[in-house]
Amino acid sequence: MAADKNLHIVIFPWLAFGHMIPYLELCKLIAQKGHRVSFVSTPRNIDRLPKLPPHLSPFLRFVGIPLPQVENLPPNAEATTDVPYDVVQYLKKAYDDLKQPLADFLRTTDADWVLYDFASYWLGQEIGPSLGIKTAFFSIFTPECLGFFGPMSGDKRTKPEDFTVPPEWVPFPTTVAYRYFEIKKIFDSVAGNITGVSDLERLKMSAHYSDIVAVRACPEFNQEWIEVLGDICSKTVFPIGQLPTSEYDSGDENPAWQPIKQWLDQQPKGLVVYVAFGSEAKPNQHELTEIALGLEKSELPFFWVLRTRRGPSDPDPIELPDGFEERTKGRGVVCTTWAPQLKILGHESVGGILTHAGWSSVVEAVQSEKGLILLTFLADQGTNARVLEEKKMGYSVPRSEVDGSFTSDSVAESLNLVVVKDEGKIYRDTIKEMKDLFVNKERNDGLIDQFLGYLKMHRNENKNSQDIEV
């Protein structure tokens, strides 16, 4: 019977590490159940992904498809981390040009399902139906984010102000919305870019044209939003867990970790602030200066993973204030290369993380029971921050509603509130309470089993192998 046969699932994430890593975590969970997975991306991105445990290699293979050349996209730029924010639109154009090579690859496979990201709406709209392959939109964005952005049609919001209040289709009280400065900064996601299809349109079409929607969520944490999403999409929505990061320890200790561990071992327990804003968020020079001076004023020890530019073509590198590293020597470390985030967060000297509220970093903080101090920059980070504020899991650095500016004093006070003060104990305690929801292996296994059970029952046995031009 078809339902007894193991699946072959093709996975195609957007070209951002904040997307590729959770997709890879899902791949590992599927492969552990004995199903075959093909992870499709560009060669350079595949080379930069974490190494896999050897026992999964028979089930999980990487498929590299070269990224087409596009004008205004620098050579070797294959992920959002490689280019400044305004160049990402050209990366999307190159990604759209992967349509034909991806269709050619799929035609040669026995794929039962394709799981695709928000940027590749055309997989659900054209390629899947043409080849007789079932499609699932797997959103690394939370149900709150997807629910906030709403249905394919009937959304009358056109101005930034419209996105600063909860939408009319959410039937319960909530604060989940963007602050004015957050939506203003990313309004090109609504207004459009050189590809002719805005990010918001891509997101809505990805959900609309898919056979089902899978979302990074668990019912005990955000059930009411999962229901909103089901109503909006009018199709089955599968929460598949928070996909906590799993590290493969090959026995070869990463050389970067030893000196970091030695420094952390010498710090007071629970007082170090870990500072990291993900692979995409880059503060401007004024913001960087206020963050640095805030860390200095806080008098707390800190470990800061600082990206001074987005790729070699970034024309605006940022710099630390004069004398900052000398004045904080011994108390603080600024790391401008890759750092093992999960290991750092897991160290007992770390008490909190100053973060952009990217959901993978949030999940890793919950895994390690570390308090969250929030400073949003891009994308879904605004809606994520509202969820964390609502649930008393995180505290946002106070900022101007108009331009998002903040002071070094507000940074210092926020850090001390969450990491040290009695008034911030609620944030530290709530994170610990949430850990079981986020990293409960038995519960997460059950969600994956339900999802895979559906995929097995509803695979298409009558695939169409006709030629397809897209």
Side-chain angles (χ1 to χ4, degrees):
M1 283 177 62
D4 296 329
K5 272 171 49 188
N6 281 345
L7 294 157
H8 178 202
I9 299 170
V10 173
I11 302 265
F12 186 60
W14 162 234
L15 306 175
F17 283 94
H19 291 243
M20 288 184 272
I21 298 299
Y23 264 76
L24 184 59
E25 288 299 334
L26 178 57
C27 284
K28 290 192 233 174
L29 294 172
I30 293 170
Q32 282 167 12
K33 306 282 185 183
H35 301 287
R36 287 182 296 131
V37 188
S38 297
F39 185 108
V40 181
S41 192
T42 66
R44 185 161 180 245
N45 286 335
I46 288 170
D47 287 345
R48 291 185 282 181
L49 288 170
K51 296 292 175 274
L52 287 177
H55 73 277
L56 294 183
S57 55
F59 304 99
L60 206 171
R61 69 167 176 151
F62 292 104
V63 179
I65 300 181
L67 192 68
Q69 290 287 300
V70 167
E71 194 178 0
N72 298 318
L73 188 65
N76 291 324
E78 297 186 11
T80 54
T81 191
D82 301 327
V83 292
Y85 180 75
D86 60 341
V87 180
V88 172
Q89 57 184 329
Y90 301 103
L91 191 65
K92 286 199 179 80
K93 189 171 190 307
Y95 187 74
D96 286 343
D97 288 346
L98 285 170
K99 241 195 296 193
Q100 189 60 54
L102 183 65
D104 293 341
F105 164 71
L106 286 169
R107 194 181 303 110
T108 67
T109 72
D110 60 349
D112 297 294
W113 283 83
V114 181
L115 270 57
Y116 65 91
D117 211 335
F118 85 99
S120 46
Y121 64 93
W122 30 264
L123 251 167
Q125 183 186 36
E126 304 170 40
I127 296 177
S130 300
L131 294 178
I133 302 173
K134 293 280 195 176
T135 60
F137 167 43
F138 166 44
S139 169
I140 65 121
F141 304 119
T142 63
E144 289 87 347
C145 177
L146 291 182
F148 176 82
F149 280 122
M152 179 81 167
S153 57
D155 185 356
K156 301 181 180 67
R157 297 173 296 182
T158 56
K159 307 186 299 297
E161 294 82 354
D162 298 336
F163 293 85
T164 61
V165 293
E168 59 191 14
W169 51 80
V170 177
F172 45 81
T174 181
T175 58
V176 172
Y178 281 89
R179 292 167 70 179
Y180 181 77
F181 68 86
E182 289 169 336
I183 191 65
K184 193 86 174 83
K185 193 169 184 180
I186 60 162
F187 203 64
D188 60 307
S189 301
V190 177
N193 54 54
I194 58 108
T195 68
V197 187
S198 73
D199 288 354
L200 186 56
E201 290 172 312
R202 286 175 187 268
L203 188 72
K204 293 183 176 200
M205 287 195 285
S206 290
H208 178 78
Y209 289 114
S210 64
D211 290 300
I212 60 170
V213 173
V215 66
R216 193 176 189 178
C218 53
E220 296 84 356
F221 185 73
N222 32 20
Q223 180 59 33
E224 56 188 4
W225 281 98
I226 294 168
E227 289 171 12
V228 166
L229 189 54
D231 292 342
I232 287 169
C233 298
S234 301
K235 62 185 62 177
T236 306
V237 175
F238 280 96
I240 55 172
Q242 300 291 0
L243 302 178
T245 306
S246 62
E247 284 194 312
Y248 165 55
D249 187 356
S250 63
D252 302 325
E253 189 66 76
N254 189 296
W257 171 234
Q258 275 313 311
I260 296 170
K261 182 179 183 300
Q262 284 170 8
W263 183 83
L264 290 170
D265 286 346
Q266 295 163 10
Q267 305 309 311
K269 184 176 176 181
L271 287 185
V272 175
V273 177
Y274 176 63
V275 185
F277 302 120
S279 59
E280 288 188 57
K282 177 190 142 192
N284 62 35
Q285 184 59 58
H286 177 70
E287 290 169 338
L288 177 81
T289 300
E290 294 303 311
I291 292 166
L293 297 178
L295 285 165
E296 189 175 342
K297 288 177 180 178
S298 76
E299 299 187 350
L300 292 168
F302 63 86
F303 190 98
W304 187 356
V305 180
L306 174 63
R307 297 189 66 230
T308 57
R309 63 200 308 170
R310 279 184 57 156
S313 66
D314 188 342
D316 299 307
I318 48 180
E319 296 179 353
L320 290 166
D322 285 345
F324 170 76
E325 289 188 87
E326 290 76 26
R327 293 192 303 272
T328 58
K329 193 169 184 180
R331 175 162 71 83
V333 173
V334 177
C335 171
T336 54
T337 57
W338 177 86
Q341 178 161 301
L342 203 58
K343 279 187 162 66
I344 294 169
L345 283 171
H347 196 281
E348 66 175 10
S349 71
V350 175
I353 173 173
L354 178 60
T355 174
H356 57 310
W359 203 251
S360 288
S361 290
V362 169
V363 174
E364 290 187 358
V366 176
Q367 272 178 275
S368 304
E369 302 182 9
K370 308 302 183 190
L372 291 160
I373 307 99
L374 311 172
L375 196 62
T376 61
F377 292 95
L378 296 170
D380 58 331
Q381 294 158 21
T383 53
N384 291 347
R386 296 307 89 73
V387 172
L388 298 165
E389 292 160 5
E390 265 191 4
K391 294 182 182 286
K392 298 293 184 197
M393 293 172 66
Y395 178 81
S396 288
V397 174
R399 299 170 80 164
S400 157
E401 287 301 324
V402 179
D403 63 5
S405 60
F406 53 89
T407 66
S408 56
D409 287 338
S410 65
V411 172
E413 288 161 11
S414 301
L415 297 177
N416 273 293
L417 173 74
V418 174
V419 175
V420 179
K421 290 187 175 174
D422 286 345
E423 306 97 280
K425 189 171 185 291
I426 187 166
Y427 302 108
R428 302 191 291 273
D429 289 348
T430 308
I431 285 287
K432 290 178 177 138
E433 289 164 14
M434 289 294 175
K435 181 174 180 177
D436 185 58
L437 284 188
F438 277 58
V439 294
N440 183 307
K441 187 175 186 317
E442 191 178 340
R443 192 183 292 121
N444 289 342
D445 251 11
L447 292 172
I448 294 292
D449 284 340
Q450 287 174 19
F451 176 58
L452 292 172
Y454 183 95
L455 299 191
K456 286 172 83 168
M457 289 296 294
H458 294 86
R459 69 176 105 203
N460 191 345
E461 288 299 306
N462 302 303
K463 292 198 187 79
N464 183 352
S465 60
Q466 68 191 40
D467 283 350
I468 164 180
E469 288 293 329
V470 291

